[in-house]
Every structure is written in structure tokens, then in C-alpha cells.
């Protein structure tokens, strides 16, 4: 059961240091700490500029952030509707199993419904059995017929380097 003072709120620009710490904790949990190169300045631009690329919300209790969700809009040509993509969902280890993650996911789901989205999607690491079970219990289904591809770094520069 969630504590009585628990709430979820939209992150604001003053939350950037907290968000970056949570992102680093998430990366460490996934064994990817070396992958984090984001800076506070980059998060400020990405989340709080005139045309932000993404949005974030914080789960808080006792005046402290215990988790976050970061998401952005997509568009489904098949549905003809927007969607939300959940880039990150994270709850600090000492707060797991208490309903914070479910509350964050339901919060993002509610935003998707309110905005008329046709779907909410995310990716999870295939070794993360607790997360997979959690998502399935909430009605999520894996898309086993799809493979995620990524181009980044030097390969992205080559790809986008001109015609």
C-alpha cells in the first residue's frame, strides 16, 4: 500500500539534478552506468525548452523522489493516432514492491488516455524477469515479432552525414 503522502507530479526544471541522479541509478541497476553521458544542461534542453523532446514525472513520498517516468509522443500511421513511448520507468531499490512503479505506469497510461493516444509502448531488457512479470500482470503483451534497431554515435553520423 502506498504511503498517505505519496503523489506523482510533472517534473519541472528545478528537478533536473534529481532526474539525472535517478537516470544514473537506473543505468547502474541495468549494468549500464558507463552508458550515461547526459548532463544537466542537456536534460534542461530536452525536457524544458520551448519545444521539449520528452516529459517526465516524479513519484514522491516524505518529500523525496522515489522514482520517475520519462515519456514522449509517437504517432501510429496504422491507427492514425498519437501514442506515448515510455523511455524509462524506475523506482529506487528500497521502494520497489510497494506499488510505486504501478502508480507511475498507471499515471502515464492515464496521460495517454487523456491525450487520445492509441497505445503506450516501451521496451524492457529481456533478462529483467521481475519487470516482465509486472508488465504482463498489468495487461501488457510483448511484441515478439519485432526487433528494436538502433543507430547511434559514429554510425548515426555516417548515416545522417549527407547524400
Amino acid at each position: 500500500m502506498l504511503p498517505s503522502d505519496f503523489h506523482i507530479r510533472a517534473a519541472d526544471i528545478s528537478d533536473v539534478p534529481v532526474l539525472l541522479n535517478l537516470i544514473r541509478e537506473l543505468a547502474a541497476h541495468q549494468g549500464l552506468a558507463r552508458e550515461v553521458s547526459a548532463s544537466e544542461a542537456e536534460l534542461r534542453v530536452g525536457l524544458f525548452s520551448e519545444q521539449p523532446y520528452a516529459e517526465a514525472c516524479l513519484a514522491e513520498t516524505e518529500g523525496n523522489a522515489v522514482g520517475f517516468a520519462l515519456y514522449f509522443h509517437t504517432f501510429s500511421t496504422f491507427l492514425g493516432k498519437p501514442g506515448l513511448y515510455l523511455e524509462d520507468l524506475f523506482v529506487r531499490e528500497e521502494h520497489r514492491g510497494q506499488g510505486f512503479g504501478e502508480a507511475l505506469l498507471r499515471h502515464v497510461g492515464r496521460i495517454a488516455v487523456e491525450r487520445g493516444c492509441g497505445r503506450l509502448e516501451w521496451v524492457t531488457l529481456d533478462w529483467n524477469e521481475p519487470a516482465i512479470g509486472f508488465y504482463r500482470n498489468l495487461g501488457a503483451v510483448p511484441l515478439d515479432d519485432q526487433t528494436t534497431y538502433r543507430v547511434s554515435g559514429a554510425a548515426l553520423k555516417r548515416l545522417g552525414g549527407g547524400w
Side-chain angles (χ1 to χ4, degrees):
M1 182 170 169
L2 294 167
S4 61
D5 70 337
F6 170 75
H7 63 277
I8 297 174
R9 65 172 179 84
D12 64 43
I13 198 163
S14 70
D15 295 314
V16 166
V18 172
L19 286 167
L20 186 53
N21 282 337
L22 288 164
I23 290 165
R24 288 179 175 145
E25 288 179 44
L26 167 62
H29 170 70
Q30 295 177 337
L32 300 170
R34 291 186 205 159
E35 300 290 322
V36 178
S37 64
S39 68
E40 288 184 16
E42 289 167 322
L43 286 180
R44 274 189 213 92
V45 170
L47 299 174
F48 303 106
S49 63
E50 196 170 308
Q51 287 189 311
Y53 295 104
E55 301 172 67
C57 58
L58 291 170
E60 296 179 323
T61 186
E62 298 179 5
N64 297 308
V66 298
F68 81 107
L70 190 140
Y71 53 94
F72 54 87
H73 276 278
T74 62
F75 187 81
S76 169
T77 55
F78 284 19
L79 297 176
K81 293 182 178 186
L84 279 186
Y85 186 85
L86 180 63
E87 177 68 19
D88 289 321
L89 176 71
F90 178 72
V91 173
R92 289 185 158 139
E93 187 171 355
E94 62 271 21
H95 298 285
R96 292 188 192 138
Q98 300 174 41
F100 296 110
E102 182 175 346
L104 277 164
L105 191 54
R106 288 187 184 281
H107 179 81
V108 175
R110 190 168 28 260
I111 291 169
V113 169
E114 289 170 357
R115 294 180 183 180
C117 294
R119 60 187 177 202
L120 170 61
E121 296 179 302
W122 62 91
V123 172
T124 192
L125 297 169
D126 55 9
W127 58 259
N128 194 345
E129 290 297 328
I132 292 167
F134 166 67
Y135 297 142
R136 286 182 187 242
N137 284 338
L138 293 175
V141 294
L143 300 178
D144 294 331
D145 60 342
Q146 298 183 13
T147 301
T148 301
Y149 287 88
R150 177 179 295 161
V151 178
S152 61
L156 177 59
K157 288 181 182 174
R158 281 192 306 277
L159 179 66
W163 302 91

